Amino acid sequence: MNALLLIDFGSTYTKLTAVDIDNEEIISSSKSLTTVDTDIMIGFRNAYRTIEEKCKGKNVQFNEKLACSSAAGGLKMVAIGLVPDLTAEAAKRAALGAGSRILQVYSHQLTLREVRDIIQKKPDIILLAGGTDGGDKDCITYNAKMIAMNIKDVPVVVAGNKNASDDIEEMFESQGVYYRIVDNVMPKLNILNVDPARDAIREIFMKKIVEAKGMRGAEEYINGILMPTPAAVLNAAKVLADGTDTEEGIGDLVVVDIGGATTDIHSIADGEPTRAGVMLTGLQEPYVKRTVEGDLGMRVSAESLWQAVATRKIKKYAPDLKYNVEERCHYLAQNVSEVPQNYDEIEFDEALSMVATEVAMERHVGKIEDVYTPMGKIYTQVGKDLLNVKYLIGTGGVLAYSKNPEKILKAGLFSEDNPKYLKPIEPKLLIDRSYILSVMGLMAVKYPDKAIRMMKKYLINLQ
Amino acid sequence: MKKNIVLGVIGADCHAVGNKILDHAFTEAGFEVINIGVLSSQEDFINAAIETSASAILVSSLYGHGEIDCRGLREKCEEAGLKDILLYAGGNLVVGKQEWGPVEKRFKDMGFNRVYAPGTSPEMGIRDLKEDLKIA
């Protein structure tokens, strides 16, 4: 049988999925603890043995092995721009869209204090932006110099004012900095162009980062495609929404991914106003958008979640809770491998996940504001209007294993109590029960049609 | 050498009369006026200023949306490399009869160098601009 092995090196578990490529079916899957501290291949081989066991007698031949990874902290970046709301924000969005975790965003000229801060944060890649093409070039040139003089061992993606590129090139060459110069993330005012930077980041991730995370052995074993796991999820969402020449997509969608440390929201939609008489303001939104909430998570970030939303909001979703919310959140943050067993524990986890969904969606979607003018009330919209997206897809452990995924996902929908947030009103709810979204993103790089059909089959409709 | 200045009416505002008066007055006073007219976006002002190496941007607004329309202009100028450009605003900048002090402060906080109340004569702007640009 012609099979494909899809590998997800997670920060806790290494997950393997075997796919029958001809019949577009999952043959089996397995997982084992990730062994990033010793040799990442040990955990992999454990999972591989399990899958071989399960495939016994089926004559499975793994002709290709593709992998994504968020092991060893995933891809960590800092983004640097000029004005906070403009190129610094554009750089941040490009880095998030490449599947990275943003450690910090810097704007204007870097100070030595900030340079020391960057060194201490140990980013895998620095994204350097600033200035529109033909606009300000002093700031980005100054920041490039600060990097060249002080931080030589971190790869830099330069995506700023094209007029500064000659100077930067010369500086980085002479100082031996590893860099790539790509098209500006903001070539004209308010126009976003994040794809070139995104591609360069992924390329460097494959070439340099993978090796640095002790995955050299893995690289020899797999065939080529290796990307950060969030980038794979984003890729899966994009092909599923858009389709290909030959396979139709399902249209605009939002993915909610609730993890132990972060809650990610991905949206594939242009987000233009759907209501009449609404003026769009602010920076252009990317069609493929990802936001990451580092303070909203089920375990590592349980305490920061509590701090971000207050007890009242958590109790709203679980009125009869026995626990002291603060104590339980503290406990969960200390015991990250805790799996809820009884009714109370499950209820608490569900309440947490609902709050995480609600708040992460609020931060992802656009907002409507009223403005009073001599002609009466008008509305301005900042961000994406997602009122009419067709699908809301849930993924991540708590959703995949929950008995009530529908209840959790509904916490992310539009609410009359807070109508200024442009969240989906009545999307179809899908759940990624077999945990395939990230690996389908990998598969879609080479076999988009097959991946789309498999997602249509394996994402379960909740209504 | 004549100083270039960009003049226009911002946003969805199409009040053209004041714009003509200002154009005439500042031209008479010896400035090279690049008048981008009514219904001009922030980007139009900035692009015109870059193209012409202008020393100042003069924004008019009559219809009361001035505050929304002008928000972020200074930041965009920075990004576009217009570091030291002077920003002036004048007209009926806000809705209704509001106390002038706080309005002026709001615009100054947004990065405007000078803000003019309704009914200010063009001569005052001309005098200020000459002073700010240090020309006699």
Side-chain angles (χ1 to χ4, degrees):
Chain A
M1 192 192 301
N2 180 15
L4 185 65
L5 185 66
L6 301 165
I7 309 153
D8 181 351
F9 293 101
S11 44
T12 318
Y13 288 105
T14 294
K15 287 153 284 208
L16 266 50
T17 310
V19 171
D20 176 348
I21 197 91
D22 297 322
N23 294 315
E24 297 170 2
E25 272 174 359
I26 295 173
I27 306 167
S28 75
S29 55
S30 71
K31 68 177 182 179
S32 171
L33 280 172
T34 299
T35 47
V36 77
D37 296 331
T38 47
D39 172 1
I40 200 151
M41 294 312 285
I42 298 172
F44 169 77
R45 281 194 205 95
N46 290 341
Y48 190 67
R49 265 196 297 277
T50 316
I51 219 162
E52 272 185 327
E53 282 291 311
K54 289 185 180 173
C55 294
K56 226 172 219 170
K58 287 188 192 158
N59 185 28
V60 175
Q61 195 85 42
F62 291 121
N63 294 334
E64 274 177 294
K65 301 181 186 78
L66 311 173
C68 59
S69 167
S70 57
L75 169 60
K76 302 188 297 278
M77 292 186 63
V78 297
I80 305 168
L82 173 51
V83 171
D85 289 343
L86 297 168
T87 50
E89 176 65 25
K92 177 179 146 194
R93 291 185 186 181
L96 283 174
S100 85
R101 228 173 82 207
I102 302 279
L103 301 170
Q104 182 91 42
V105 180
Y106 300 89
S107 51
H108 301 288
Q109 292 192 345
L110 289 172
T111 60
L112 269 176
R113 180 185 286 268
E114 286 171 328
V115 167
R116 282 196 293 268
D117 192 42
I118 294 174
I119 295 170
Q120 198 227 331
K121 286 196 155 70
K122 296 197 175 68
D124 297 313
I125 299 176
I126 295 171
L127 177 58
L128 177 62
T132 54
D133 284 343
D136 179 85
K137 69 171 200 175
D138 297 347
C139 179
I140 188 171
T141 314
Y142 179 88
N143 288 342
K145 193 173 162 198
M146 289 293 268
I147 292 169
M149 292 303 171
N150 299 294
I151 321 172
K152 292 192 189 23
D153 52 351
V154 181
V156 184
V157 173
V158 183
N161 186 355
K162 75 180 176 74
N163 301 71
S165 53
D166 291 348
D167 291 346
I168 293 175
E169 186 153 35
E170 202 186 309
M171 212 146 33
F172 281 176
E173 285 293 340
S174 71
Q175 296 299 322
V177 176
Y178 185 93
Y179 70 98
R180 284 279 314 275
I181 294 181
V182 297
D183 290 349
N184 199 339
V185 287
M186 201 168 87
K188 288 184 197 162
L189 280 169
N190 271 17
I191 302 296
L192 268 190
N193 172 43
V194 291
D195 291 341
R198 211 178 264 185
D199 294 344
I201 292 165
R202 285 190 199 162
E203 213 173 285
I204 294 179
F205 178 81
M206 284 227 296
K207 255 200 194 142
K208 309 264 296 179
I209 317 299
V210 165
E211 198 179 308
K213 308 245 176 202
M215 293 185 65
R216 162 141 279 184
E219 205 190 2
E220 281 162 14
Y221 188 78
I222 60 162
N223 318 79
I225 305 167
L226 222 151
M227 56 167 98
T229 305
V233 175
L234 203 56
N235 193 40
K238 182 163 189 300
V239 292
L240 181 62
D242 290 354
T244 64
D245 255 4
T246 42
E247 185 68 38
E248 204 168 341
I250 64 172
D252 290 358
L253 58 86
V254 174
V255 175
V256 179
D257 184 349
I258 310 172
T262 67
T263 297
D264 293 15
I265 308 283
H266 309 248
S267 66
I268 318 290
D270 59 21
E272 294 288 318
T274 52
R275 291 173 178 170
V278 173
M279 295 195 330
L280 203 51
T281 62
L283 188 62
Q284 189 195 17
E285 290 282 332
Y287 170 68
V288 176
K289 179 177 180 175
R290 167 174 176 252
T291 47
V292 180
E293 307 308 335
D295 59 343
L296 306 177
M298 298 298 297
R299 292 292 176 269
V300 180
S301 315
E303 227 173 344
S304 55
L305 169 62
W306 168 73
Q307 278 159 358
V309 302
T311 305
R312 191 165 34 83
K313 209 160 182 175
I314 296 174
K315 285 215 162 150
K316 182 177 94 184
Y317 288 115
D320 308 321
L321 218 53
K322 303 197 305 199
Y323 291 104
N324 175 316
V325 176
E326 182 182 358
E327 277 168 16
R328 178 74 184 164
C329 286
H330 180 75
Y331 171 80
L332 290 174
Q334 306 300 318
N335 298 276
V336 294
S337 55
E338 172 88 3
V339 177
Q341 305 294 344
N342 59 39
Y343 176 82
D344 292 322
E345 289 169 7
I346 292 171
E347 189 192 30
F348 192 86
D349 260 17
E350 277 178 0
L352 275 193
S353 64
M354 287 165 86
V355 172
T357 305
E358 183 190 337
V359 177
M361 283 293 281
E362 273 173 17
R363 295 184 192 167
H364 182 93
V365 303
K367 262 190 292 192
I368 289 261
E369 275 177 48
D370 305 350
V371 183
Y372 293 91
T373 74
M375 283 96 91
K377 194 155 93 167
I378 61 160
Y379 300 96
T380 62
Q381 174 187 332
V382 183
K384 279 176 143 180
D385 179 342
L386 299 177
L387 290 170
N388 291 342
V389 297
K390 286 196 196 142
Y391 290 93
L392 182 65
I393 304 174
T395 186
V398 64
L399 277 163
Y401 301 121
S402 168
K403 288 199 178 73
N404 298 307
E406 192 176 346
K407 191 171 99 184
I408 299 173
L409 283 179
K410 279 189 170 163
L413 299 185
F414 179 83
S415 151
E416 282 297 345
D417 298 342
N418 232 336
K420 66 177 180 174
Y421 294 110
L422 303 168
K423 301 185 197 177
I425 296 176
E426 227 178 343
K428 290 205 175 89
L429 304 178
L430 301 179
I431 184 85
D432 181 17
R433 269 270 194 247
S434 26
Y435 229 128
I436 56 162
L437 221 47
S438 58
V439 291
M440 284 300 120
L442 278 175
M443 188 171 149
V445 177
K446 279 192 94 170
Y447 307 101
D449 287 4
K450 285 177 184 293
I452 293 170
R453 284 193 292 266
M454 283 189 66
M455 282 189 272
K456 285 179 183 170
K457 189 153 85 182
Y458 284 98
L459 294 175
I460 294 163
N461 202 328
L462 287 174
Q463 282 109 337
Chain B
M1 206 184 80
K2 272 188 168 180
K3 292 278 185 188
N4 294 341
I5 57 170
V6 173
L7 172 71
V9 185
I10 201 163
D13 191 340
C14 46
H15 290 87
V17 178
N19 174 267
K20 297 276 184 233
I21 296 170
L22 287 170
D23 188 342
H24 182 75
F26 277 84
T27 308
E28 281 291 290
F31 291 97
E32 186 66 43
V33 178
I34 297 110
N35 190 349
I36 58 172
V38 299
L39 295 167
S40 304
S41 65
Q42 293 188 348
E43 285 76 8
D44 292 341
F45 279 95
I46 287 167
N47 290 336
I50 294 172
E51 292 284 359
T52 59
S53 296
S55 349
I57 290 177
L58 275 53
V59 180
S60 305
S61 178
L62 265 298
Y63 70 160
H65 295 203
E67 201 179 330
I68 323 169
D69 291 338
C70 291
R71 223 183 268 162
L73 183 60
R74 174 57 82 189
E75 287 79 5
K76 285 186 196 167
C77 285
E78 265 183 61
E79 202 73 74
L82 301 170
K83 275 208 197 92
D84 305 315
I85 197 158
L86 293 168
L87 294 184
Y88 287 16
N92 287 317
L93 294 170
V94 289
V95 189
K97 296 254 175 292
Q98 298 188 22
E99 211 183 311
W100 180 244
V103 174
E104 184 179 20
K105 184 173 180 304
R106 281 212 293 281
F107 274 78
K108 291 239 162 122
D109 290 344
M110 281 196 270
F112 281 81
N113 301 84
R114 297 201 188 249
V115 194
Y116 299 100
T120 312
S121 79
E123 281 68 37
M124 197 169 150
I126 290 167
R127 206 184 58 216
D128 290 342
L129 188 57
K130 284 185 172 168
E131 192 188 312
D132 288 348
L133 291 173
K134 299 184 179 61
I135 44 182

